[in-house]
Amino acid sequence: MSPKFTRKGNNGQNYPVCYGEHVLGGGVIRLWCRHQNLCTPRWIVGNYYISIDVRGSTQQVVKMMKFMLLFSRQGKVRLQQWYSATQEKEKKKIMRELITIILARKPKMCSFLEWKEYKIVYKRYASLYFCCAIEKGDNELLTLEIIHRYVELLDKYFGSVCELDIIFNFEKAYFILDELMLGGEIQETSKKNCLKAIAAQDLLQEEADATRNVLEEMGLP
Amino acid sequence: MPTVAKGDGMRGLAVFISDIRNCKSKEAEQKRINKELANIRSKFKGDKTLDGYNKKKYVCKLLFIFLLGHDIDFGHMEAVNLLSSNKYTEKQIGYLFISVLVNTDSALIRLIIQAIKNDLEARHPVHICLALQCIANIGSKEMAEALTKEIPKLIVSGETIDAVKQSACLCLLRLFRTSPETVPPGEWTQRVGHLLNDQHLGVVTSATSLIHTLAQKTPEDFKPCVQLAISRLSRIVTSSYTDLQDYTYYFVPAPWLSVKLLRLLQVYPPPEDPALRGRLNECLETILNKAQEPPKSKKVQHSNAKNAVLFEAINLIIHHDTEPSLLVRACNQLGQFLQHRETNLRYLALESMCLLASSEFSHEAVKKHMDTVITALKTERDVSVRQRAVDLLYGMCDKSNAEEIVAEMLSYLETADYSIREEMVLKVAILAEKYPVDYTWYVDTILNLIRIAGDYVSDEVWYRVIQIVINRDDVQGYAAKVVFEALQAPACHENMVKVGGYILGEFGNLIAGDQRSSPMVQFQLLHSKYHLCSAPTRGLLLSTYIKFINLFPEIKGQLQDVLRNNNNLQNADAELQQRAIEYLQLSTVASQDVLATVLEEMPPFPERESSILAKLKKKKPNVSDIEVVKEGKKSSNPPTLNNSAANTPEATPASAPVPVMAAAPAPAPVQSASDDLLGLSAGPAAAAPVTNNFAAPAAPAGGGGLLVDVFDTPPAQNNVSTALAPQAEENFFKFAIKNNGVLFENELLQIGVKAEYKGNLGRLGLFYGNKTSYPFQFFTPTVSCPGELASAMNVQTKPLDVNTVEGGAQVQQIINVECIADFVDAPILSIKFSYSGSMQQINLMLPVMLNKFFEPVEMDATSFFNRWKQLSRRPGQEEQKIFKASFPINSDTSRTKLLGFGFGLLDGVDPNPDNFVGAGIIKAQSSQVGCLLRLEPNMQAQMYRLTLRTSSKSVTTRLADLLLKLF
């Protein structure tokens, strides 16, 4: 059940909002107050409507990662990757709210929380929080392990990674993430293959740098 | 690892980042950034020979600044330039900038798409990958249209390397999600299916994601994949962890792929082929078995990955919902997790069990864990886990355990987190109603709910208990008894007083035989709470008292004393005052028979009626209060004495003014008595009977906007008047020829109006200015359409955002009006607010009159005379008035007035240049009425002759009336 309560409007009337919903393997049961007549089919229990979206409808929902955030204990964002088009203003708002919520949570609490239409999965590594938003019904535990695999990749690449590495090489952090995840889906789960791809990129960069150094030695900008 | 590349790549960037980190203050950081931005801007502008490396460096700096949270409004072009660099790293930074910073609706999108297109055709696979990754991360509709054709080729071609295939699959997936119509199924779809058999597990993983999404759209096309997926899954779950090499994650073979395959299978029903089905069930059993094996590693990653697969398998089992043994095993497995030391697992177990509770096969098995879940509810430290426990208890509740679960939820409610109380209250209320042990239990439960969490009990909940009690006579006596007991608590919630007051008013007689709850005791008990309650509750209690007068004539005297009390009779709250006066009158004047009829027991609540009202309310949320009143009027006369005359449908506009003082009470039909007196309407829709009563006196059926003083002789010197404010009429008519101005002003309040009209639509901006230095509280302006006006005009009022107007402040309100048919009366604007403790009410006519919907017409003399003649045939089409001028006659002002009124003036039509001839059309939604005018001033006599011809009698009359006031 995700609570979405009605609130009294400015003019004192109760505005109809879904009171709660219950996502099943193959459908959603929603509870509405009696004002609402948007949902079909429905049953009436007292002053409430119960609607059931039939089997299959939840499966039409894409189960992908919506965004990933890295932020410090001080609440500074270190990396953000958005997998669905979002307005810049909205992004800032989401980040602000989420960081506040997560920083306020105690260490022993569970790593999942329902927030708006998302499920938030987060984990703290040293001074950094890694936080992903996924759809309800997606696999929370495996999302935790995506985070872990990413940390492993960073760690292997930078050699016991710390927050500073990510600050100074933020573009690398993005490139590594792109090897692991693409468009909100996992792309390559093999650590070896990911690192191989990054190494190949660095090789290309070295070649470029080598040419530049030659030019610089010749006194060219 | 090639550590040389780190940081050394762009020294200037590293220096800049250090600088930023060394900044001591926010201001210093901002300064450093501004300096850098200026530098970059000049570099981009001036130096034409900026090489790729420097361009890359500056673009990277911009990106960094952006990621710090600053806005970047330049550099996009340079980033796009980088895309066409042939150096990989420059291209890569270009793509990164585009992915992070460029909107998909950017003007540069064509250039970007072209660059991507070039890279997709590049020789070097790393370039192709960059382009694919970019699409996969930010793919838009435009990209889909331009690029979708290229992608499937890459996926199915035998020459493509694995890394490109992986990216291409996810790229196509993104484009399909963005705009499915651009991805036409073709020959490639089948070949994508075969990727499930690919050697490379990375390719299989990406392909499975793609197939899963495509199969949701067209399951038939991908049906062969079911078999492939099952055999792949089977190979994975039976493999040893060494078989899959690097795709084994902490001793778990390919957890990501397993989860994706299990999810793909959830698109389809269980396979019909028994062999295939057997194989799938074996897989699922193996996964369940593995959960029982001792862990191969103590690392949390091992157990997480293993359980991730397990939970997805359970999802598939629940989806199929056909294998009782698997469902029960799944349930037992989750039962173990309920007491696991990992909070995450307990959370997930509670969540998954909720799903199992809905299956008929596992519902009973879930119920076995009730005690554990109840313990979780009491002991979990994390509120999100407790929330899951509440959900599960709700999900597993049925007739057999409802009593226990409701009791547990109620007891938890006393200490529950505030964030989940409201939801819990609702759940308890629903369970109690859905699985009532018997109705006495139901009543007990709801009263407990109010006792424990009264603040969180919404109106719907207590309405419902009253509806049920009224509709079931077997529980009425019991309900009266328990509310009486509940009210004896020294501090009880106001909601309890409401329920108590209502139920005792209806059924108090059922317990009056007992000396301990004699009529007098009941009354004193209720009245002891009276002064602590808010006005609406007091109103409800007053209704209870009048019902008591009927039920218990022996205590009539005491009850009348209360009604007669100055506190009520002169209450600042108009509603309370009105009820006190009316009830007092009713009790004095009416005979016992009449009283008994008026106050007869509530009829059972019809379900249908309330839903009609609810619908009505939903349709027009702003005017609904009025509609509700009208609804009530149609079926009956409200028994409220003062209103009755004004509200009777027969009271036509012409019959006003009607001096109505509390004369003889109109014996009202029973139905109406219940409507109004009981202070509770059938459903949540008519939640506030108080407003019903208010709307009525605020909308006197006065004719032609005449001042109607409903209280001819006010019963007490009250500061709340239901009559129109002084100067209201005079100011009103000023607006006949202008749209902006001051509508009302006294020493407290000024109301300004700005209006505009087009066709049959109008929009009024009302500006309420507080002239004092103290705030107006509970500032509520309402607009109502009295009488026939309601059908002639649609008024939509935007509610104010605030209900307090601070001293010296001004608030604005927008009102939209739509003219349906011609009309006479003006909508009534009724403003209520509390100023330094006393209620103020001001009633005004909203300056909307028929001529506002007037449009001028130009025509020549011939057509004017043709029409003029046509319009004289039928009676009523012409109206002629000869009257004395109220203002000095002046040709120019008359002209302005007529133009302001809305006429198009036709010069040279009338042979006498002093006369005015005009034409216009009234635009109502239902009809358009053409109007012609001739106005002949007589300077010597200071008189006018006004001739109006229109096709509608009512329009002619109204326009003539309005014009008369202007000259």
Side-chain angles (χ1 to χ4, degrees):
Chain A
M1 277 277 181
S2 61
K4 285 179 194 159
F5 294 115
T6 50
R7 292 268 177 263
K8 273 209 160 53
N10 290 327
N11 54 359
Q13 295 169 7
N14 262 322
Y15 279 100
V17 182
C18 184
Y19 272 122
E21 61 180 32
H22 187 115
V23 182
L24 297 171
V28 189
I29 296 185
R30 292 201 179 86
L31 176 68
W32 307 86
C33 86
R34 276 292 288 275
H35 303 274
Q36 184 59 268
N37 57 1
L38 294 171
C39 44
T40 50
R42 59 170 178 248
W43 285 263
I44 299 171
V45 179
N47 282 339
Y48 307 99
Y49 283 142
I50 293 179
S51 75
I52 299 190
D53 288 358
V54 279
R55 230 158 233 283
S57 59
T58 41
Q59 288 160 10
Q60 298 300 327
V61 173
V62 282
K63 288 189 180 154
M64 57 181 270
M65 192 181 286
K66 293 295 174 179
F67 56 84
M68 187 189 240
L69 294 180
L70 267 66
F71 55 90
S72 68
R73 274 166 63 194
Q74 289 75 37
K76 281 227 186 257
V77 180
R78 296 304 181 199
L79 183 138
Q80 38 168 315
Q81 180 67 284
W82 299 80
Y83 293 113
S84 51
T86 316
Q87 291 292 316
E88 215 43 62
K89 223 171 125 189
E90 179 70 14
K91 284 184 190 173
K92 282 191 178 156
K93 193 168 157 253
I94 291 177
M95 291 195 285
R96 213 172 36 238
E97 283 181 32
L98 262 185
I99 290 172
T100 321
I101 293 173
I102 292 175
L103 288 180
R105 286 175 68 87
K106 299 193 184 76
K108 280 276 171 190
M109 288 188 163
C110 85
S111 312
F112 320 126
L113 53 126
E114 285 189 10
W115 185 75
K116 303 206 169 153
E117 70 266 39
Y118 306 118
K119 196 138 215 176
I120 304 297
V121 178
Y122 73 93
K123 189 161 181 183
R124 186 179 148 182
Y125 288 87
S127 63
L128 271 186
Y129 282 87
F130 289 70
C131 157
C132 299
I134 57 175
E135 305 260 347
K136 284 180 187 157
D138 201 345
N139 202 308
E140 297 94 344
L141 284 174
L142 214 52
T143 309
L144 266 185
E145 295 320 300
I146 290 179
I147 293 177
H148 186 74
R149 178 112 287 186
Y150 183 44
V151 174
E152 283 184 344
L153 288 173
L154 293 171
D155 200 57
K156 202 81 185 172
Y157 180 78
F158 290 107
S160 69
V161 66
C162 66
E163 197 183 333
L164 275 184
D165 290 319
I166 295 173
I167 296 173
F168 277 94
N169 303 283
F170 69 94
E171 79 283 9
K172 268 288 171 234
Y174 271 103
F175 299 148
I176 294 171
L177 183 58
D178 275 347
E179 291 302 322
L180 179 69
M181 296 275 304
L182 210 48
E185 298 281 351
I186 188 109
Q187 175 176 227
E188 180 54 86
T189 65
S190 155
K191 192 156 66 174
K192 225 186 268 169
N193 289 352
C194 280
L195 290 169
K196 234 195 291 181
I198 306 284
Q201 288 176 16
D202 281 341
L203 213 61
L204 288 166
Q205 179 166 344
E206 268 180 274
E207 283 166 15
D209 289 347
T211 358
R212 182 171 55 84
N213 289 339
V214 173
L215 288 172
E216 270 176 3
E217 276 162 27
M218 291 160 68
L220 293 165
Chain B
M1 282 300 114
T3 44
V4 281
K6 291 189 300 165
D8 298 345
M10 287 168 278
R11 184 159 292 126
L13 176 65
V15 171
F16 174 60
I17 296 176
S18 306
D19 281 2
I20 295 287
R21 286 186 54 77
N22 289 334
C23 287
K24 294 273 186 296
S25 66
K26 200 94 195 129
E27 292 72 36
E29 183 185 307
Q30 187 65 48
K31 218 173 142 195
R32 179 68 185 88
I33 285 170
N34 287 344
K35 189 180 148 205
E36 192 62 40
L37 285 175
N39 173 37
I40 299 172
R41 210 183 291 257
S42 74
K43 282 285 183 336
F44 281 167
K45 257 196 202 142
D47 203 344
K48 288 243 164 60
T49 58
L50 205 61
D51 68 1
Y53 167 76
N54 276 308
K55 215 182 266 174
K56 174 181 97 175
K57 185 178 75 186
Y58 292 129
V59 165
C60 223
K61 279 183 181 174
L62 285 180
L63 194 51
F64 182 78
I65 294 172
F66 175 76
L67 291 172
L68 281 177
H70 302 266
D71 291 331
I72 295 295
D73 54 2
F74 70 102
H76 302 76
M77 195 59 209
E78 283 73 15
V80 174
N81 284 342
L82 284 178
L83 296 184
S84 37
S85 160
N86 50 14
K87 291 210 181 79
Y88 179 76
T89 52
E90 288 166 16
K91 212 186 256 299
Q92 200 181 19
I93 294 292
Y95 272 119
L96 180 59
F97 187 92
I98 302 286
S99 310
V100 174
L101 234 153
V102 174
N103 275 330
T104 44
D105 54 352
S106 151
L108 294 171
I109 198 76
R110 280 167 188 280
L111 291 175
I112 296 170
I113 288 176
Q114 190 52 49
I116 291 176
K117 221 172 207 166
N118 293 342
D119 279 334
L120 284 179
E121 286 157 9
R123 244 174 344 110
H124 212 312
V126 289
H127 290 190
I128 304 178
C129 273
L130 274 185
L132 289 172
Q133 285 172 355
C134 177
I135 308 172
N137 282 339
I138 64 162
S140 63
K141 196 162 191 287
E142 265 179 300
M143 285 189 178
E145 278 156 9
L147 301 165
T148 304
K149 278 207 305 283
E150 319 292 326
I151 317 294
K153 280 188 275 182
L154 287 172
I155 299 176
V156 296
S157 159
E159 287 161 23
T160 317
I161 64 164
D162 292 333
V164 173
K165 266 190 200 168
Q166 280 170 276
S167 299
C169 282
L170 297 181
C171 175
L172 189 63
L173 173 54
R174 167 75 185 217
L175 295 180
F176 180 77
R177 279 176 183 159
T178 313
S179 59
E181 65 284 356
T182 59
V183 185
E187 185 252 346
W188 59 273
T189 37
Q190 280 179 2
R191 295 177 59 187
V192 166
H194 287 288
L195 287 180
L196 288 176
N197 269 337
D198 201 279
Q199 290 288 316
H200 190 282
L201 282 187
V203 173
V204 186
T205 311
S206 298
T208 313
S209 296
L210 174 63
I211 294 166
H212 176 232
T213 305
L214 293 174
Q216 285 176 345
K217 179 103 185 290
T218 49
E220 279 310 306
D221 291 355
F222 293 89
K223 203 139 193 210
C225 291
V226 173
Q227 195 205 335
L228 294 175
I230 291 174
S231 66
R232 188 97 224 189
L233 183 67
S234 159
R235 269 181 280 157
I236 295 171
V237 295
T238 53
S239 69
S240 138
Y241 62 87
T242 48
D243 294 353
L244 302 175
Q245 292 155 359
D246 208 34
Y247 287 91
T248 295
Y249 181 84
Y250 290 86
F251 305 101
V252 182
W256 278 280
L257 180 53
S258 308
V259 164
K260 293 221 175 280
L261 291 168
L262 286 164
R263 197 170 283 165
L264 170 60
L265 292 171
Q266 288 174 52
V267 176
Y268 294 93
E272 280 152 22
D273 174 16
L276 203 56
R277 193 162 166 169
R279 200 160 172 205
L280 177 58
N281 285 345
E282 266 172 41
C283 286
L284 295 171
E285 271 168 21
T286 314
I287 295 171
L288 284 169
N289 290 340
K290 279 189 180 174
Q292 295 298 325
E293 289 171 12
K296 292 193 176 65
S297 156
K298 284 210 169 100
K299 287 232 160 82
V300 68
Q301 281 77 27
H302 170 68
S303 80
N304 276 355
K306 195 163 97 174
N307 293 327
V309 178
L310 175 66
F311 275 108
E312 205 60 56
I314 292 176
N315 276 345
L316 180 60
I317 293 169
I318 295 170
H319 169 76
H320 285 169
D321 202 9
T322 46
E323 300 286 337
S325 68
L326 285 176
L327 281 162
V328 170
R329 278 195 68 183
C331 187
N332 294 340
Q333 182 61 53
L334 293 176
Q336 289 181 17
F337 286 155
L338 285 181
Q339 306 190 45
H340 202 278
R341 61 189 166 79
E342 278 276 327
T343 315
N344 288 347
L345 278 182
R346 295 198 301 273
Y347 175 97
L348 293 174
L350 288 167
E351 190 179 58
S352 284
M353 234 183 212
C354 231
L355 308 185
L356 281 171
S358 62
S359 164
E360 52 171 320
F361 299 114
S362 50
H363 184 81
E364 288 303 316
V366 171
K367 276 165 61 183
K368 284 189 196 131
H369 300 285
M370 188 171 81
D371 294 337
T372 321
V373 182
I374 289 171
T375 318
L377 184 64
K378 289 174 177 162
T379 57
E380 282 292 349
R381 278 185 295 171
D382 186 345
V383 59
S384 44
V385 184
R386 290 197 293 271
Q387 175 106 45
R388 292 281 84 79
V390 173
D391 288 350
L392 179 51
L393 283 179
Y394 180 76
M396 70 165 73
C397 192
D398 62 17
K399 253 196 153 49
S400 71
N401 57 13
E403 203 169 353
E404 196 172 344
I405 285 181
V406 166
E408 286 296 342
M409 284 171 92
L410 271 177
S411 78
Y412 173 63
L413 198 53
E414 303 202 34
T415 53
D417 313 76
Y418 293 109
S419 56
I420 62 173
R421 280 197 185 180
E422 193 174 349
E423 190 188 350
M424 281 196 71
V425 165
L426 274 173
K427 283 183 171 157
V428 170
I430 291 168
L431 290 180
E433 188 175 332
K434 214 164 143 196
Y435 306 113
V437 180
D438 54 51
Y439 279 93
T440 59
W441 175 79
Y442 170 76
V443 171
D444 284 342
T445 306
I446 302 295
L447 290 184
N448 265 331
L449 209 53
I450 296 174
R451 193 175 49 74
I452 296 167
D455 283 345
Y456 297 88
V457 172
S458 58
D459 286 347
E460 286 88 350
V461 174
W462 74 262
Y463 288 167
R464 190 62 195 158
V465 69
I466 285 177
Q467 288 178 9
I468 286 183
V469 169
I470 296 223
N471 290 6
R472 300 195 61 90
D473 39 19
D474 51 338
V475 78
Q476 288 160 354
Y478 179 78
K481 189 167 140 287
V482 288
V483 291
F484 177 77
E485 282 161 9
L487 284 173
Q488 282 170 327
C492 62
H493 194 273
E494 190 163 332
N495 278 339
M496 188 68 88
V497 180
K498 288 181 187 162
V499 176
Y502 195 93
I503 288 186
L504 290 181
E506 287 290 318
F507 309 114
N509 55 329
L510 299 178
I511 56 166
D514 190 330
Q515 269 315 303
R516 286 163 300 173
S517 54
S518 68
M520 197 56 201
V521 177
Q522 285 184 37
F523 163 64
Q524 279 167 347
L525 180 62
L526 278 177
H527 200 58
S528 67
K529 318 280 180 196
Y530 184 84
H531 298 282
L532 303 169
C533 291
S534 65
T537 309
R538 288 192 199 183
L540 191 150
L541 286 180
L542 287 181
S543 298
T544 302
Y545 298 162
I546 183 75
K547 290 186 219 166
F548 273 179
I549 291 181
N550 174 43
L551 291 178
F552 314 124
E554 63 269 31
I555 57 166
K556 184 173 173 179
Q558 286 92 332
L559 290 159
Q560 282 181 328
D561 285 346
V562 171
L563 295 175
R564 208 176 284 127
N565 188 310
N566 278 349
N567 242 335
N568 291 326
L569 226 45
Q570 295 179 14
N571 199 297
D573 187 310
E575 174 65 22
L576 288 181
Q577 190 184 97
Q578 192 176 344
R579 283 194 191 204
I581 294 165
E582 290 170 6
Y583 292 160
L584 188 60
Q585 284 296 327
L586 185 64
S587 67
T588 353
V589 180
S591 70
Q592 190 59 36
D593 284 354
V594 171
L595 210 56
T597 319
V598 172
L599 299 165
E600 202 182 341
E601 196 176 290
M602 276 291 283
F605 280 91
E607 281 289 330
R608 265 180 65 228
E609 190 179 309
S610 69
S611 71
I612 293 168
L613 285 177
K615 215 171 181 175
L616 220 142
K617 191 135 182 152
K618 193 177 148 48
K619 235 173 143 182
K620 292 180 191 166
N622 293 319
V623 292
S624 51
D625 280 347
I626 299 155
E627 301 274 4
V628 172
V629 173
K630 273 177 32 197
E631 198 79 6
K633 268 194 270 176
K634 263 174 218 155
S635 59
S636 59
N637 298 324
T640 43
L641 307 177
N642 293 329
N643 303 341
S644 54
N647 275 334
T648 36
E650 302 85 66
T652 55
S655 70
V658 197
V660 262
M661 179 43 206
V670 188
Q671 188 66 46
S672 77
S674 53
D675 265 352
D676 224 14
L677 286 177
L678 298 174
L680 180 93
S681 304
V690 181
T691 51
N692 291 5
N693 279 345
F694 262 125
L706 287 167
L707 237 136
V708 182
D709 197 348
V710 179
F711 282 100
D712 209 16
T713 42
Q717 81 270 49
N718 59 333
N719 54 3
V720 181
S721 160
T722 46
L724 286 176
Q727 358 148 320
E729 199 185 20
E730 189 190 322
N731 278 346
F732 172 80
F733 284 109
K734 280 188 190 156
F735 281 88
I737 50 166
K738 62 179 184 180
N739 281 335
N740 304 336
V742 175
L743 177 65
F744 174 81
E745 182 157 12
N746 64 7
E747 64 279 14
L748 301 177
L749 177 72
Q750 188 195 49
I751 304 173
V753 181
K754 269 189 181 172
E756 45 183 347
Y757 294 89
K758 195 168 183 186
N760 68 328
L761 300 177
R763 173 192 294 261
L764 284 89
L766 294 181
F767 300 86
Y768 305 104
N770 182 345
K771 289 168 67 182
T772 70
S773 46
Y774 300 97
F776 295 159
Q777 273 156 341
F778 313 111
F779 191 85
T780 40
T782 43
V783 176
S784 54
C785 294
E788 295 175 345
L789 187 57
S791 56
M793 189 187 293
N794 257 337
V795 180
Q796 288 194 333
T797 319
K798 247 184 101 188
L800 291 178
D801 297 330
V802 290
N803 65 359
T804 305
V805 184
E806 295 299 337
Q810 194 184 53
V811 292
Q812 188 190 353
Q813 185 178 36
I814 301 286
I815 295 171
N816 289 317
V817 291
E818 185 185 3
C819 176
I820 310 282
D822 64 280
F823 59 92
V824 175
D825 292 356
I828 298 295
L829 170 68
S830 165
I831 299 148
K832 285 205 311 165
F833 59 93
S834 151
Y835 170 70
S836 63
S838 71
M839 257 342 249
Q840 308 282 332
Q841 181 167 353
I842 296 164
N843 295 330
L844 299 166
M845 289 187 286
L846 208 58
V848 179
M849 38 221 107
L850 189 55
N851 68 299
K852 293 293 173 192
F853 306 98
F854 217 8
E855 276 192 11
V857 176
E858 296 287 343
M859 58 178 80
D860 57 29
T862 335
S863 50
F864 178 83
F865 282 117
N866 276 340
R867 283 171 209 215
W868 185 260
K869 275 175 205 146
Q870 275 171 13
L871 284 174
S872 61
R873 288 183 198 140
R874 255 170 275 145
Q877 290 185 331
E878 184 190 273
E879 180 103 14
Q880 193 167 72
K881 303 247 171 179
I882 299 166
F883 59 95
K884 192 135 184 81
S886 322
F887 307 93
I889 296 180
N890 176 314
S891 177
D892 283 340
T893 40
S894 301
R895 193 177 186 78
T896 321
K897 280 178 184 172
L898 285 174
L899 286 172
F901 194 80
F903 276 108
L905 287 184
L906 310 175
D907 292 323
V909 172
D910 199 299
N912 180 349
D914 288 333
N915 293 349
F916 294 97
V917 171
I921 297 177
I922 294 282
K923 299 226 164 174
Q925 194 204 46
S926 61
S927 63
Q928 302 202 344
V929 182
C931 312
L932 303 175
L933 156 132
R934 190 167 187 221
L935 182 71
E936 300 156 285
N938 182 333
M939 299 290 264
Q940 285 82 37
Q942 288 289 309
M943 299 274 281
Y944 283 107
R945 181 162 70 187
L946 170 72
T947 318
L948 263 180
R949 287 186 184 181
T950 82
S951 50
S952 152
K953 179 176 196 273
S954 51
V955 172
T956 322
T957 321
R958 179 61 183 154
L959 288 182
D961 280 339
L962 284 169
L963 283 167
L964 267 183
K965 305 235 189 292
L966 293 174
F967 291 93

